[in-house]
Amino acid sequence: MSQSAILETNRKCYVPIPVDVLAPDRAIPFNLYSRSSTGAIKQVCAVGEAVTAQSLRAWEQVGVSVLYVNTTDHRLYQAFAEKMLNELALRPDVPAPQKARIYYQTMRELVHEACASNHIEDLAAGPRDAFANGMVSFICEDGEALSGLLLMLSHDYYTYTHMVNVSVMAAGLAYRVGLREHDRLRDIASGGLLHDTGKTRIDPDILNKTGRLTTEEWETLKTHPGLGLEYLHQRPDLRPTELLIVHQHHEKLDGSGYPLGLVGSEISLEAQMTAVVDVYDALTCQRPYRPALSHEAAIRILREQAGDKLNAELVAAWQETIERARKQGG
Ligand SMILES: [Fe+2]
Ligand SMILES: [Fe+2]
């Protein structure tokens, strides 16, 4: 049996990574593979070798946006991606739209893998800060960054996409209302990334149910902020703002939220920001039981909730932020 045939039969052992994360002439600490249209897997770069600018161009020309690493090398890839994300904001050779794409695609893949393998701790370790720090530097240093990031958000219904979307949106909203302190913005971004961690502990049948949830299922779903807190607070490196976002993002100003029914300023400002973008993203994403709502319809719902349930100033600021991005995007 040929080498490629062996690899093809083991196709499920490979995880996709975005080509964009690779920099030209930089040695990689893992074997890298491509997949043909017939599904055959072929090694394109060996551990310790560098991907050339020529290969990157060739992949771009034929529309290859994803390559593969062996699952056993995923941790090596993760450490590599973390380093690349940290350096990315400072790379003058990468144009802003490409940077936005790299942050988003790389992080989606890492969150996806952490959720799929039930190793959310992989995410809570290094990559969350590499992503949050890099993205915040990018937003603060480049005028086009925020709009670029917001425009590329995908609107599928996967939890991992939602977690990355909420991270980008919450950091963007915080920036737009005037927060400039890097560490605070970073904590909002990383808190957004982790906000639904507790959902990885909920039965997928409940999360993906297409019909109406029973009272019992709904009560189970409502435990996810508490489960997330319970899980994450055991980690010594989690910061208070991140934990507040995880625990309070479903609280409502009038006390009708969960899990504690907090009222008004009992809810941290960072959690109030996360709540606004969490609702927006949930409405504008496709669901198994309904198509995505338009931006206009989602904003109408947010405005109905403004004041009683959601912070009205933050809703107005979010509308302005997203509409500015949409205008820039044409
Ligand atoms: Fe949630
Ligand atoms: Fe959420």
Side-chain angles (χ1 to χ4, degrees), residues 45 61 246:
C45 195
Q61 274 164 11
V246 169

Side-chain angles (χ1 to χ4, degrees), residues 205-277:
D205 288 346
I206 295 180
L207 293 178
N208 301 322
K209 186 169 174 183
T210 50
R212 218 185 167 79
L213 294 181
T214 65
T215 309
E216 201 183 322
E217 288 166 340
W218 179 234
E219 291 304 321
T220 303
L221 184 65
K222 287 195 330 194
T223 61
H224 80 267
L227 290 173
L229 177 71
E230 197 180 289
Y231 177 68
L232 290 169
H233 97 279
Q234 300 162 10
R235 297 187 58 90
D237 55 342
L238 264 282
R239 295 176 291 268
T241 298
E242 296 173 292
L243 295 175
L244 284 171
I245 289 174
V246 169
H247 199 219
Q248 297 182 344
H249 68 274
H250 286 291
E251 299 289 356
K252 303 288 181 209
L253 296 177
D254 62 2
S256 64
Y258 60 87
L260 298 177
L262 299 177
V263 177
S265 60
E266 289 176 350
I267 310 166
S268 76
L269 186 61
E270 289 85 349
Q272 292 184 35
M273 291 179 187
T274 310
V276 170
V277 299

Side-chain angles (χ1 to χ4, degrees), residues 195-196 199 224 249-250 278:
H195 82 283
D196 273 338
K199 281 194 179 169
H224 80 267
H249 68 274
H250 286 291
D278 184 39

